[in-house]
Amino acid sequence: GLLASFANMLRFLQERGDLPQPNGLADVAGLNSFLKNQCVPAGAGSTLCDGFLVPAGSDEQIVNPWRIPGFVRGAADVEVGRADEETLRDWLAQGSPVLVGLRMSVGEVPAGMHYVVATGVAANGGIPSFDPGEYFGRNSINSLVGDFEAGGRVWNGKMVTVLRLVARAAATTGFFVRAGAAYQMDGTRGGCAQVLNWLDRTAARADVAEARPLTMAGCDGSSDQYQMTVPEGGTDVQLTTLAAQAALQTVTQSGPGALRISGRPAWTLSPQVLEVAAGGGAVNAANGGPDLAPGSLASIEGSGFVTPGAEVTAEVDGTAASVVSAGPFRLNVALPPGLAAGPQVIRIQSALGSVEVPVELKLVAPAIFEEANGAAVVLNADGQRNAPDRPARRTQQLTIHATGLGAASPAGAPAEPVNVRIGEQEVRGTVTAVAQLPGVYQVRIVVPAETAPGLAVPLSLRQGPVVSKVVQIALD
């Protein structure tokens, strides 16, 4: 069914003129022959033949989606979308046939995968599908999702993959990974969008046997490093590069843990380690600036901060520092507010090792939180985020999210008062700590009535002679 589905999708795009025909018009026999003989150079005179993949402990051959573009000499690329009906309808409306992978179960037993091609949207809103094998005798996606009866059994279908072929050059700088267990893939510049949470066999009406996970991910290689997190382990992990000269590497992951994928374009698998990024250090989490103070929320880039069974902790000068958030490649740590200004060292520890990050603390280093696009994290009186289409109003409250306000008084407020400059006006701010987010403060003011309105009104914080980076807000 999977082979025939890919063949039909290719042929549709070829007949429409979107894809070339170097191997003729696609059909089941022709695509099967191509994939059986799909071998790529692998160095030292060897070749790698993986048009079909055989899961460990199985004799079933499963089409390798990342070798399908070779049938049209790399003129097609695989695109995996969210496995929901909205994505399916959007892609169908754009004129693409869409492969739908369904995880089939009988009771609590995962029985295998079923693959069909969604072909359009019917007048009644249903989504007709082409089922090459007619295994379940049903002709729409809607009739395959949820519980239904076939072959004397009650089946349950869950849509887990929505995939299409697009007419663009296939990625050649990335890789694909497969494992017999579920895993998560993260990257320094975003993870792998093309993740297939499949099972290692196709569902058969006459033979219900428990299927095992077969998880595959295709990554375009845009990140410098990836972390593959395997929550359970007990699986072989295979990585194959997509370069003209391919390389295959297999690693056995015996238990929960994480693997590092690095070395673009000759990607390799290795155990993940805890380390700080080369040339990196601690920066202000609000805006990425270099200035930090006691109580600041600091952000540190590196790797291995989050792995199964490896809790990460931090301390400075013998005092525990709160880990506010942790991802595979970034750690946000609230520096203790009672630290002294001057040189300090943040010590980070986990089961993967320990690292030290030197910092130079200032008395105060006020910073307003910013989004990735530079928009300030400032709330209007109604609690909504300030934006050009949601301006604040004069004489009403404005709440500014900030960090780096220095040592705190016994009551928890900054020892150094905080003033807010908005436009040409300056007013004293009322400061409260955010209980759930150590190192983060809310600075509240009432916008002076005489402040000039505008869509880019400058806003900054001042503590004594130290002024924060200026951001912009909208004011009505």
Side-chain angles (χ1 to χ4, degrees), residues 284 291-297 335-336 360-366 404-407:
N284 196 301
D291 294 338
L292 294 167
S296 288
L297 185 62
L335 303 180
E360 184 73 28
L361 300 185
K362 299 179 178 300
L363 287 172
V364 293
L405 305 185

Side-chain angles (χ1 to χ4, degrees), residues 10 31 67 81 88 93 99 102 105 155 213 261 265 314 320 338 354 415 438 467:
L10 282 167
L31 184 58
R67 294 304 183 200
L88 185 54
L99 173 74
L102 299 120
S105 302
W155 296 79
I261 301 174
S354 62
V467 179

